[in-house]
Amino acid sequence: MSSVHDNAPIGVFDSGVGGLTVAREIMRQLPDESLIYFGDTARVPYGTKSKDTVIRYSRQIVNFLLSKNVKAIVIACNTASALAMHKLQQEYIVPMIGMVRPGAIAAARATKNHHIGIIGTNATVKSGQYGKYLRELNPDVTVVTKACPLFVPLVEEGLIDDRITEDMVSRYLREFDQYQIDSLILGCTHYPLLQNPIKNFVGDNVTLINPAYETAKSLRELLKEREMEAESGHTAEYHYYVSDMEDQFLSFADRVLPCHVEKVQPIDIERY
């Protein structure tokens, strides 16, 4: 096998800042890879938008990332993965990877009683994509879903270990009790940051599935398979772009990422 190296960056995009949990996993698992991150902070949240709108936004972002010569694209947003990925893969030749499939595969592997819970935004839950993949992997699976729209603002306000958050976790998740789920997919990029309060509530018998972690793992396999990995020891560069609210982005990035973000560049995404 020839050892072809490709030091071009990987494009990562999300409706806002939550996708930084995916960027964090890529930095940890693929330390030689450069990243270009785009957060659509002007038009967040995607979870309440129609499918057509999410596809249009995602298309503009892919065009922007391709203008930066990315070699692959990670859709670090569960909503865009569920609603737009299939269409984008038909329209572009750049390899693309979303959140839904890796998360579903991990949950199907983890479950013992085939009762799987999924929490996410309204759009992700309504799309039914996680359930669709899970049933393809195992037709006998019982899938229980719950939209948890208030988790995102709580995370962005930094209220991770807060009484309010504990109350919301219990309010949203208590109905899972009756279904005896043993795996729970954190189907929104913000939710891994609430891992502690969620774990405290659901207990040790429920395995939490973090699609951000699984997506980085799938990306590593994809790059290897296609011989697109960066050279070992290549100095990775990280560049960040947003459509609005640079200050909020920087303060959130500092809480989430393993490295300090010096600057983020605002761009007019509508131009793409």
Side-chain angles (χ1 to χ4, degrees), residues 247-267:
D247 291 347
Q248 284 98 315
F249 178 90
L250 286 171
S251 72
F252 192 82
D254 269 346
R255 297 210 306 266
V256 174
L257 294 178
C259 53
H260 174 63
V261 178
E262 285 299 324
K263 67 172 192 145
V264 57
Q265 237 170 300
I267 58 155

Side-chain angles (χ1 to χ4, degrees), residues 12-15 36-44 46 53-68 92 241-244 265-272:
V12 179
F13 81 85
D14 178 35
S15 58
I36 294 197
Y37 182 93
F38 175 76
D40 198 359
T41 41
R43 305 186 294 197
V44 70
Y46 282 12
T53 299
V54 173
I55 290 172
R56 182 166 60 84
Y57 288 176
S58 301
R59 203 180 273 132
Q60 289 173 334
I61 297 166
V62 170
N63 292 338
F64 164 68
L65 291 171
L66 290 175
S67 77
K68 298 288 177 195
Y92 297 92
Y241 298 86
V242 290
S243 46
D244 198 9
Q265 237 170 300
I267 58 155
D268 176 8
I269 194 64
E270 299 277 359
R271 280 192 14 240
Y272 297 88

Side-chain angles (χ1 to χ4, degrees), residues 4 6 32 34 38 59 64 66-67 93 97 105 131 147 219 222 226 232 251 259 266 268:
V4 183
D6 188 343
D32 300 325
S34 294
F38 175 76
R59 203 180 273 132
F64 164 68
L66 290 175
S67 77
I93 54 172
I97 191 161
I105 290 169
L219 174 66
L222 172 94
R226 302 204 182 194
S232 178
S251 72
C259 53
D268 176 8

Side-chain angles (χ1 to χ4, degrees), residues 32 37 85 87 91 99 107 114-115 122 149 159 185 193 200 202:
D32 300 325
Y37 182 93
M85 175 144 155
K87 188 96 176 108
E91 295 175 3
M99 308 279 296
H114 310 307
H115 290 232
N122 290 320
L159 300 170
I185 297 175
L193 298 168
N200 290 342
V202 297

Side-chain angles (χ1 to χ4, degrees), residues 103-105 107-108 116-118 129-141 143 185:
I105 290 169
I116 296 173
I118 301 160
Q129 284 293 325
Y130 272 108
K132 183 169 157 273
Y133 278 133
L134 284 166
R135 285 185 200 98
E136 279 172 22
L137 297 163
N138 175 1
D140 301 328
V141 74
V143 177
I185 297 175

